[in-house]
Amino acid sequence: NAGVTQTPKFQVLKTGQSMTLQCAQDMNHNSMYWYRQDPGMGLRLIYYSASEGTTDKGEVPNGYNVSRLNKREFSLRLESAAPSQTSVYFCASSEVTPSRGYTFGSGTRLTVV
Amino acid sequence: QKEVEQNSGPLSVPEGAIASLNCTYSDRGSQSFFWYRQYSGKSPELIMSIYSNGDKEDGRFTAQLNKASQYVSLLIRDSQPSDSATYLCAVSPYNQGGKLIFGQGTELSVKP
């Protein structure tokens, strides 16, 4: 089915470990986004990519890096995980102007111990 | 002041009633407004979008936008237990490349 695919679905990391969250979309969307969701905080934008080859910081970029590998793929990397990064991470994609809103992936539940 | 604000709830309504969810936003230049539904443990799914002042209806859902007062609302008529979820309001601020700013969500519980 067309959509946004995120991997992994669940991950437990120890403090200081690194990992990369993968995201791929097959809807030919130009724009892709990484959000984190914490209880009572809603969805907060970490990084976004308006088009292939460009990335920009969102509201909470500290501790994260991203790579827009090609039009389909947008990865999020935690270089040195911290307990404060325990969260649910969502990748999303949209047309350049999100007149139809975002399509979200199924999420990655990350726990840092 | 948060950019997009919602009452976190929970909002509890009986089955068959009208549920009213509200959202205010701070950027007067915002162009596009969305309502997402999120079931527990799942990802958000788009249910309504609205761009112009007034009402937009889609089945049991009606979105209302008032740009002068900077609020957007969602009405759910004939509420069903399956409507129990968290509803997220999202706003696309002016000239920010399509980013969406989300409210913290309102939890709705529809009691049989």
Side-chain angles (χ1 to χ4, degrees):
Chain A
N1 291 336
V4 179
T5 302
Q6 282 184 243
T7 56
K9 293 189 184 302
F10 301 93
Q11 184 71 49
V12 179
L13 289 179
K14 293 182 179 179
T15 296
Q17 287 184 319
S18 63
M19 77 163 294
T20 299
L21 281 65
Q22 306 287 353
C23 177
Q25 52 93 8
D26 58 6
M27 296 173 289
N28 202 35
H29 284 163
N30 285 301
S31 301
M32 298 185 73
Y33 312 85
W34 278 105
Y35 283 84
R36 61 177 286 173
Q37 187 174 36
D38 304 292
M41 301 291 286
L43 288 157
R44 293 184 292 168
L45 183 64
I46 304 171
Y47 272 93
Y48 68 103
S49 172
S51 61
E52 184 178 355
T54 67
T55 60
D56 286 288
K57 295 178 180 179
E59 181 185 356
V60 288
N62 291 344
Y64 306 95
N65 286 300
V66 291
S67 296
R68 183 75 183 266
L69 304 171
N70 48 55
K71 190 172 185 178
R72 292 186 63 247
E73 298 173 286
F74 188 39
S75 62
L76 178 72
R77 183 161 178 83
L78 288 70
E79 292 290 351
S80 179
S84 61
Q85 294 177 306
T86 294
S87 189
V88 180
Y89 292 85
F90 288 102
C91 177
S93 70
S94 74
E95 298 167 348
V96 174
T97 52
S99 58
R100 299 181 185 180
Y102 290 177
T103 300
F104 282 88
S106 58
T108 296
R109 187 173 296 274
L110 175 66
T111 301
V112 182
V113 297
Chain B
Q1 181 189 6
K2 292 182 181 178
E3 292 189 65
V4 179
E5 292 203 56
Q6 298 179 251
N7 291 325
S8 58
L11 174 65
S12 183
V13 300
E15 184 175 355
I18 296 175
S20 178
L21 304 162
N22 299 312
C23 172
T24 58
Y25 60 94
S26 60
D27 184 347
R28 281 196 170 274
S30 298
Q31 302 291 310
S32 307
F33 307 85
F34 305 88
W35 283 99
Y36 286 81
R37 178 177 62 199
Q38 186 177 25
Y39 292 114
S40 181
K42 302 296 186 182
S43 57
E45 56 177 327
L46 180 68
I47 54 172
M48 290 287 288
S49 60
I50 187 166
Y51 313 107
S52 304
N53 280 328
D55 295 358
K56 179 181 179 182
E57 186 175 319
D58 184 0
R60 295 186 296 112
F61 299 97
T62 299
Q64 299 175 317
L65 175 60
N66 184 322
K67 289 188 177 181
S69 300
Q70 294 175 249
Y71 84 78
V72 57
S73 61
L74 179 70
L75 301 177
I76 307 175
R77 291 182 300 281
D78 189 24
S79 295
Q80 301 297 308
S82 59
D83 295 325
S84 298
T86 296
Y87 290 80
L88 300 166
C89 173
V91 175
S92 179
Y94 174 72
N95 205 26
Q96 289 199 33
K99 289 190 298 184
L100 291 184
I101 308 299
F102 286 83
Q104 70 269 41
T106 298
E107 183 183 350
L108 172 66
S109 177
V110 181
K111 303 295 186 184

